[in-house]
Amino acid sequence: MAAMTTVPSYTPSLWVRVCHALPRLDLTMQMKDNIFVPDSWEYQQTLLVLSSLSAIALVISLLVVLSFLIHYCCCHRGDRSEGSEEEEEDEDASTGHGYSGKKGRGICCVTWVAVAAVTLCCVAIGIGFYGNSEANDGMYQLTSSLLTANYTLASIDLLISDTISGLQLSVSSPLTSLEELFTGSKPFLVSTRNCRRLSENVINLLSSISLARSSLDTGLGNDSISGASIIPLTPVPPSVAPTVVPTSSLMPSPFSPGWAANTLMVNEDYRWLSYVLLLLLDLIVCLFILLGLAKQARWLLILMTVLAWLALFLSWGSLGLETATVVALSDFCSDPNTFVVNSTHFNTGTSSDVLDYYLTCSRRMNSPFQQLLTQSQRALSNIHTHLSSLERNALTQFPKAEKSLREVQQILNSTEGNFHQLVALLNCRGLNKDYIDSLKGLCYDGMEGLLYLSLYSFLSALAFTAILCSLPGAWRSFPSESEEYEDSDSESEDPFTSHQDSKRFLQWQPWL
């Protein structure tokens, strides 16, 4: 039983604390705090500085590739005469097929570098697929919790609406008929008017709970609503139609949970598809690299170069975006309640007691709606008492009042059933559980997935940098079309080449 009554809690993960502790610098290289304020230009500057680290790494990668290109283009130009003499000697000592000497060593070096880079890239691709899956799972849990919270609050609004509509119906029709029937009997008339007054009191009490209904009925703005309203637990923009807004909305955005969940699902689909395409691009580049080394075709080398440059820029660019996202997410996840309370209170003026009750759900805190619900419960009980008294005493004198009393009794029973469901839904446990599940999906699985994606981007960028550094050596080591044409002509003109090759092979086999 103790485990069942335990309120779910949230604690920032180790990665959240580590990323949150990173130093922050603005564009003027001054230290800034790490409080999550996404609308602040100073905070945005710190994210830009962190993202610019990937741009600096990209420049370093370009310089490294350029240095290798200059090395192969300029430094080997003076060695061509010596290389040609060595190649002639290698051709005399070879069988006429394959490579040996410097060219063979060059191809071997390029091959090993390319294989190592492709292996690293494949490891990065595996990490990327896992990270993309983790991030998708976290966003799915987030959207599911938001939709559940939206359904809970929509149910609250529906129960309030049905209860108010039923009481208004009882006031307008059956109680009015009873007042007309009991005009000549003062005690019965007083009881009927007390029922009307109590019904109107319950209507006013329940209307103060629902921002949507108060806005629709009174046509007033948010400032005219009582501070005990449940609706402005997250900010709602004026352009959005009045809807119930949850306490569990952890996203730093002024929208209802249903709208936020739908938007997140659409954005998550695009994000997931973008990373899948990027991973497939890296995989295709790796396949082209292996194919180009196997075929030793320069046209494949050109295609491989273009794709490798594209993948390199995309890897460093995605790393910059992931770095800013991870840091901002760690700042939010380190203390989400503070941001939600401050932003909601600033945009809607919601009482901090209401926000604290649903965000923390502490046993020491009483529900801010407890007084309203208690008064409503007492009013409904008094109405029931008056109706029972009228049913016992008035029906003998006014038999025509039986039908109206039955209608009021049915409405009262339905109202009491809705009221008990409303009391259960207004308890902080359900909405707080959705809030905690949203935080865990975003700050646990989502954070872990983004970290794996950052590692994938970094490793793939290193792999493609190594690949681009080895491409000039591959270009120099691969045979040109003229060399291949000369080799094929020489082999076709000499009919004794195969005989000479077999003779040389026999000379190297003394046991035959």
Side-chain angles (χ1 to χ4, degrees), residues 77-93:
R77 184 173 297 177
D79 300 335
R80 286 183 177 177
S81 59
E82 298 178 2
S84 60
E85 294 177 359
E86 292 180 358
E87 286 176 0
E88 290 178 358
E89 294 177 358
D90 294 338
E91 289 176 359
D92 293 338

Side-chain angles (χ1 to χ4, degrees), residues 226-229 232-233 341 344-345 348-357 368:
S226 171
S229 173
L233 292 172
V341 170
T344 305
H345 182 73
T348 63
T350 308
S351 173
S352 58
D353 295 338
V354 178
L355 297 173
D356 291 338
Y357 174 70

Side-chain angles (χ1 to χ4, degrees), residues 199-222:
S199 298
E200 292 175 349
N201 188 25
V202 173
I203 292 173
N204 294 330
L205 291 173
L206 295 180
S207 298
S208 64
I209 297 178
S210 174
L211 176 64
R213 180 151 302 281
S214 298
S215 301
L216 290 174
D217 292 343
T218 62
L220 299 176
N222 294 342

Side-chain angles (χ1 to χ4, degrees), residues 54 93 217 268 319:
S54 64
D217 292 343
E268 172 59 19
L319 180 61

